[in-house]
Amino acid sequence: MINYISTRNSDIKVTSSRAILNGQAPDGGLYIPENLGDIQTDYHSIIDKDFRGMARAVWNIFFPDYGDELISQLVERSYKDKFSAPEITPLVKVGSSHVLELYHGPTSAFKDVALSALPNLLTAAREMNDFHDQIMILTATSGDTGSAALCGFSDVPGTSIVVFYPDGGVSETQKLQMVTAPGSNTCACAIRGNFDDAQTGVKALFREIPHPVEGVSLSSANSINIGRLVPQVVYYFSAYSQLLASGEIKDGDKVDFIVPTGNFGDIMAGYFALKMGLPVGRLICASNKNDVLTEFLETGHYDRKRTFFKTTSPSMDILVSSNLERLLYYVCGEEHTVKYMKDLAETGEYQITEDELAEIKSVFVGACASDEEGAAAIRDVFEAEHYLMDTHTSIAWACLSKTKDAANAPSVVLSTASPYKFSRAVLTALGAEISDSDEANMKKCHEITGAAIPEGLAGIFERTINHKDVIAIDKMKQYVIDKSSKNL
Ligand SMILES: *Cc1c(COP(=O)(O)O)cnc(C)c1O
């Protein structure tokens, strides 16, 4: 049976439900399966099912202490009637490649796949571990995580959620998605500051008031939780299964995946799929102008001391990709991982060895593309294929062109957001006129493509605004205490 250990101390060993409940290991490390050998399986026994069947099979391997029956219930609860596509993550052939659309969930971004699942895994873990406190989720967001988390936790018993976002620092669409969030246990609050202020504030609250009032415990919906990572492993199998069904590949053929990367969670899920036995070729890590991972995958030198750029793919704007620590553990071992993370904290950089780099390079390839290259990809693919990509997917598409090799393995580009969610930047890329209002921009995208605006996005302009609070940064603590004492 799989146990979870900390990347910084393998003596810290817990069950999967405990790892989900704790989020992060007490020593600051991340929970990972102790032995990669334990997750190995025959991929045929997974890909012959529909998406929910594949989810059951994958979750059963990673979360053995939940038991088969409970997992079946949790999968149903997580995916029934929440996604607009019957396949959940449909694969579309575009030109000579394929696009895996991960954005058919309620908030039109790929984070829905995991954040539909995490609340259910968490509440079950609470019961299994005899944990009686109410769980209050605290999240700082620059956009996508906030709305997906609000939606995932909405009316989930035993939980409540407070999302802090920078006032004036998110798009009109993203703001409306958050402030119109339903649910008696949800709350979105603007802070007068930028995203970093919001994030620093939230981190301080976890330290200062882990229990804001008696009977309430703070927790995080951050992508370092293994309960967010594992549900993402499923769609790599789904992609492979769809490629086989359409005759695009033969059984056993390797497939390359190109992943628009920020915190390294999505692509780490691909590494787990590979280690489970799925025929994965290369994992191409696509970055925007914030190219810290591109340099790392080329040289083995991770250096966060660089300029931070705001781009048109904001969910990939990042300097520290937390989930990379999980890969480091498997490749470099505990001792080196501890050293590298210490170096990163103290000096802002670290360097792995030649051998470690060679092993990482046997699977991972780094590439980056600028806003302009991403925009050109949106335009070119639309003109040639009448297929519209969002600004994150287009970075991956541009990186695919840069890393094509002679062997040309079949490739799958992971599409992480609906183009309607980033309508302004998408219209700009197409050379179309843009409006000050996102409602007009979405309609314009619709006129151009003829494809329907996703329900969850079309509705936000009419919905009631439920969350109006705007507070100063130094009021966050009191805000959380007030909300938890009133049960929101
Ligand atoms: C979060 C996000 C990403 C990055 O995913 P990671 O798992 O953090 O690497 C990419 N695109 C979109 C649209 C996202 O919301």
Side-chain angles (χ1 to χ4, degrees):
M1 182 146 126
I2 292 185
N3 279 307
Y4 284 78
I5 53 167
S6 165
T7 46
R8 299 184 192 179
N9 181 357
S10 55
D11 290 338
I12 296 181
K13 201 179 289 190
V14 296
T15 60
S16 70
S17 65
R18 216 348 125 180
I20 288 172
L21 199 56
N22 292 356
Q24 193 163 9
D27 62 348
L30 308 189
Y31 287 115
I32 47 167
E34 183 175 15
N35 294 307
L36 278 176
D38 292 344
I39 63 172
Q40 251 169 39
T41 186
D42 177 1
Y43 66 91
H44 297 99
S45 68
I46 300 180
I47 58 170
D48 61 353
K49 303 174 169 63
D50 66 2
F51 185 94
R52 284 186 246 168
M54 288 189 242
R56 279 196 293 277
V58 170
W59 294 19
N60 262 320
I61 291 171
F62 281 93
F63 306 143
D65 53 321
Y66 282 74
D68 192 25
E69 209 182 303
L70 179 57
I71 281 184
S72 292
Q73 290 169 13
L74 297 179
V75 166
E76 287 304 298
R77 219 175 287 160
S78 301
Y79 294 115
K80 193 164 182 279
D81 301 331
K82 279 208 184 148
F83 284 71
S84 61
E87 307 91 337
I88 309 285
T89 57
L91 187 77
V92 182
K93 188 166 165 69
V94 180
S96 60
S97 186
H98 303 83
V99 176
L100 185 66
E101 297 181 347
L102 304 175
Y103 57 73
H104 292 283
T107 73
S108 300
F110 97 105
K111 292 191 170 61
D112 287 328
V113 178
L115 282 164
S116 297
L118 179 67
N120 297 312
L121 288 163
L122 197 59
T123 46
R126 188 169 160 255
E127 280 175 29
M128 290 161 69
N129 290 279
D130 244 348
F131 189 82
H132 298 291
D133 274 11
Q134 178 94 6
I135 295 174
M136 178 181 261
I137 303 292
L138 272 198
T139 303
T141 186
S142 55
D144 284 349
T145 305
S147 51
L150 284 163
C151 194
F153 281 93
S154 174
D155 289 330
V156 172
T159 72
S160 60
I161 173 164
V162 177
V163 170
F164 291 109
Y165 65 94
D167 193 22
V170 299
S171 77
E172 185 198 353
T173 301
Q174 288 173 324
K175 178 175 173 179
L176 281 174
Q177 283 187 297
M178 289 190 274
V179 297
T180 64
S184 56
N185 64 337
T186 66
C187 171
C189 176
I191 59 132
R192 292 192 197 94
N194 58 28
F195 170 66
D196 271 339
D197 298 327
Q199 183 149 53
T200 309
V202 163
K203 280 189 181 155
L205 294 182
F206 282 121
R207 279 196 311 272
E208 290 169 22
I209 46 165
H211 306 283
V213 296
E214 170 101 22
V216 177
S217 286
L218 293 186
S219 183
S220 156
N222 191 295
S223 76
I224 54 176
N225 194 312
I226 195 78
R228 251 188 83 172
L229 204 54
V230 170
Q232 299 181 348
V233 174
V234 179
Y235 48 69
Y236 286 88
F237 287 88
S238 164
Y240 199 85
S241 165
Q242 292 178 70
L243 282 170
L244 265 180
S246 62
E248 293 286 333
I249 56 167
K250 292 191 307 295
D251 188 21
D253 285 353
K254 285 192 173 174
V255 174
D256 288 349
F257 289 90
I258 301 92
V259 189
T261 297
N263 213 10
F264 211 77
D266 203 359
I267 197 166
M268 190 62 202
Y271 185 74
F272 281 132
L274 165 75
K275 290 297 168 185
M276 288 172 77
L278 189 71
V280 173
R282 299 178 300 165
L283 289 169
I284 297 169
C285 173
S287 301
N288 61 24
K289 198 176 175 188
N290 295 293
D291 58 355
V292 61
L293 287 167
T294 319
E295 181 187 305
F296 173 72
L297 292 171
E298 189 53 45
T299 65
H301 180 219
Y302 196 101
D303 185 2
R304 64 163 296 175
K305 297 170 297 163
R306 57 178 69 219
T307 315
F308 177 81
F309 297 105
K310 282 196 150 222
T311 71
T312 51
S313 44
S315 298
M316 298 160 71
D317 292 347
I318 202 159
L319 292 177
V320 178
S321 295
S322 317
N323 274 295
L324 182 60
E325 183 172 342
R326 293 191 153 108
L327 178 65
L328 290 179
Y329 180 89
Y330 290 127
V331 173
C332 316
E334 180 178 320
E335 197 182 317
H336 278 190
T337 303
V338 170
K339 177 180 182 303
Y340 298 151
M341 291 301 108
K342 190 159 173 278
D343 290 350
L344 182 66
E346 287 170 4
T347 68
E349 61 188 318
Y350 61 87
Q351 172 74 51
I352 62 172
T353 69
E354 286 291 325
D355 288 352
E356 291 164 351
L357 179 60
E359 189 177 335
I360 290 178
K361 276 188 171 180
S362 69
V363 177
F364 290 88
V365 177
C368 60
S370 65
D371 279 0
E372 292 73 25
E373 289 170 313
I378 292 178
R379 200 173 49 243
D380 294 348
V381 170
F382 189 71
E383 278 170 10
E385 311 290 339
H386 200 73
Y387 184 84
L388 191 60
M389 298 183 293
D390 95 294
T391 47
H392 302 78
T393 312
S394 62
I395 292 290
W397 189 278
C399 289
L400 169 64
S401 319
K402 291 183 179 191
T403 53
K404 263 201 179 121
D405 64 1
N408 255 345
S411 58
V412 171
V413 172
L414 270 58
S415 179
T416 48
S418 158
Y420 292 98
K421 191 159 185 179
F422 296 93
S423 52
R424 185 181 301 244
V426 167
L427 287 175
T428 308
L430 291 175
E433 225 173 284
I434 52 166
S435 152
D436 279 345
S437 125
D438 276 1
E439 186 172 19
N441 290 331
M442 270 187 214
K443 285 198 175 130
K444 181 93 182 203
C445 276
H446 165 65
E447 280 163 28
I448 292 174
T449 64
I453 303 173
E455 218 175 286
L457 287 177
I460 56 174
F461 302 98
E462 275 84 47
R463 268 195 246 149
T464 326
I465 293 182
N466 296 322
H467 312 288
K468 294 185 180 152
D469 293 344
V470 184
I471 62 168
I473 297 161
D474 61 1
K475 295 284 186 298
M476 287 169 73
K477 187 169 172 177
Q478 196 53 48
Y479 189 84
V480 168
I481 293 172
D482 288 348
K483 288 286 170 189
S484 47
S485 60
K486 281 189 268 176
N487 238 335
L488 277 173

